[in-house]
Amino acid sequence: MIIGRKQEQKELLEAANAEYSKFVAVYGRRRVGKTFLIRETFNYSFTFQHTGLAKGKLKDQLLSFRASLQTASGKRFNQFKSWYEAFFSLEEWLGSLPEGKKMIFLDELPWMDTPRSNLISGLEHLWNSWASARKDIVLIVCGSATSWIVNKLINNHGGLHNRLTNRILLRPFTLSECEQYSEANRLGLSRLQMVENYMIMGGVPFYWSMMRRELSMAQNIDALFFSDEVEGLTHEYQQLYASLFNNPEPYMNVVSALAKKTKGLSRDEISQLTQISSGGELSKLLNELEWCGFIRKYNGFGKQAKDALYQLIDNFTIFYFQYIKGNKNNDSHYWTNNIGSALHRAWSGLAFERVCLQHVPQIKKALGISGVLSNVYSWRTEADRDKGIDKTQIDLLIDRNDGVINLCEMKYSEQEYVITEDEEAKLRRRRGTLIEVTNTKKAVHITIVTPYGLKRNAHSSIAQNEVTLNHLFSE
């Protein structure tokens, strides 16, 4: 059963039922459910399907492709010497079939593109010289290597330029979709536990599928990430980046640098920390990490694009650096033993902020501004003692066209959040600093995002709005 993915299924089915041939690319990070979506949508029924081999050489890739073609056609073929031969044989067989749609599904296409294989040239010929001239071909390609899909297909400047008819970026689940998944699999998690699980795993369906209903959430986390007794996710970090990038080390170096600065780094700061020159190579690394959803690039409120910051936002990667990498004693109960510790509190605050940043549409809906044109920013300013300005960082500003800015404060708490006298004063200073430094004429509303809302007291009225757990779970 498919959870969510209604729009993606609709687009796939419309492509299959279109009057003309369609070339569809489905892409997204490892284990987000791309193959499952395509197979379920078409009930596992394809005229021809093939999956590339991980780290297979050209000869092995062609041998595997021949086996898939022989299985689908019932015919025998000589060993292919090139992708031109392989795709031409596919064309010949498909052309001999009766009228009706021919569904072609090439899974893990980036793996098929070995050095000097000319896969892209062969694919260009398949589509431009044959498939696009017909009305009955639906070519669906898929891959976890998002950067490959973007560079080789979406931004192709050769024969495949503008040839894709559909691009489907499959994103991780939202909290609402994770709740549907949890209920469908009877995991028995409360909403707060789902949020904490999301803080660890993000919305990656495969990770959630590994949760065992007979274990508590804490037991599941220990088993999946810290125990060698089960096939879990202990080594997922290395495998994740290796599956996405042919040479993962530079990407992991950038991510490692960003992991040390939770509020983000400028391009020059990243260059200094990684020793990667601030030119085309760094642009490529940052763009591809952003395409894959590991980092976000954000312009500060009132700042120019050249002042943009880059911030690590991938939940699993943050958890890896905070917990898995820190488990130096190989404690198989490292998660359970650190619940309530300073490490856990620090990670919880940071991770909850990231979950909120991944659910800005739900926050806007809670504020009743879904239909109001608005821009989302982060903002920071350095201290200026002469002007009495403190160093300030605000992770989420919603700048609205109706004359209001929502200054959002994300606070993780397992009960109603209490604003103290000191915190009220701090919030007033933050709002005042924002207004003074940016010279905004808009009203600035302090908005608290916290699981169970605010505890009413003499200081809670500083917040004009509050967003709770239930709002974050809205669709």
Side-chain angles (χ1 to χ4, degrees), residues 324-370:
I324 301 173
K325 194 174 181 182
N327 183 22
K328 301 189 185 303
N329 296 323
N330 295 318
D331 181 358
S332 61
H333 300 285
Y334 193 64
W335 172 259
T336 303
N337 291 337
N338 277 282
I339 290 176
S341 68
L343 171 67
H344 184 262
R345 288 192 298 272
W347 167 80
S348 296
L350 171 64
F352 183 67
E353 287 180 4
R354 298 297 180 266
V355 173
C356 294
L357 291 173
Q358 291 155 355
H359 289 78
V360 170
Q362 286 78 9
I363 293 174
K364 287 183 178 180
K365 183 178 178 181
L367 297 172
I369 59 169
S370 295

Side-chain angles (χ1 to χ4, degrees), residues 262-275:
T262 60
K263 302 303 182 183
L265 294 168
S266 69
R267 184 189 178 93
D268 288 341
E269 289 170 332
I270 295 169
S271 177
Q272 290 169 8
L273 288 170
T274 60
Q275 301 300 305

Side-chain angles (χ1 to χ4, degrees), residues 45-65:
S45 179
F46 302 96
T47 313
F48 175 75
Q49 61 178 314
H50 174 71
T51 302
L53 300 175
K55 303 188 185 304
K57 296 179 180 178
L58 175 59
K59 182 179 179 181
D60 299 321
Q61 299 286 358
L62 291 170
L63 190 65
S64 177
F65 189 89

Side-chain angles (χ1 to χ4, degrees), residues 413-463:
S413 176
E414 296 181 5
Q415 54 195 355
E416 287 182 319
Y417 186 73
V418 178
I419 297 180
T420 62
E421 182 179 359
D422 286 347
E423 185 157 11
E424 180 188 0
K426 180 182 176 183
L427 289 169
R428 289 189 187 280
R429 286 197 301 272
R430 289 166 75 80
R431 180 169 60 188
T433 299
L434 175 68
I435 293 170
E436 182 177 353
V437 173
T438 64
N439 292 315
T440 183
K441 299 298 186 289
K442 293 185 176 183
V444 178
H445 289 183
I446 292 175
T447 302
I448 306 295
V449 187
T450 188
Y452 293 113
L454 294 173
K455 186 175 180 62
R456 300 297 163 210
N457 63 14
H459 311 289
S460 58
S461 60
I462 185 70

Side-chain angles (χ1 to χ4, degrees), residues 135-195:
K135 291 188 173 185
D136 59 350
I137 302 298
V138 180
L139 173 59
I140 302 173
V141 300
C142 178
S144 296
T146 303
S147 59
W148 188 96
I149 298 286
V150 172
N151 288 323
K152 296 294 184 76
L153 297 183
I154 295 175
N155 292 339
N156 186 287
H157 297 297
L160 288 178
H161 179 65
N162 280 340
R163 294 299 191 269
L164 283 179
T165 59
N166 301 76
R167 311 168 187 175
I168 301 176
L169 172 58
L170 197 61
R171 301 181 186 277
F173 279 167
T174 61
L175 281 169
S176 173
E177 290 165 331
C178 286
E179 183 174 45
Q180 295 172 46
Y181 186 91
S182 177
E183 290 175 349
N185 289 276
R186 304 194 305 279
L187 295 180
L189 300 175
S190 69
R191 279 191 162 179
L192 187 67
Q193 287 175 320
M194 288 182 217
V195 167

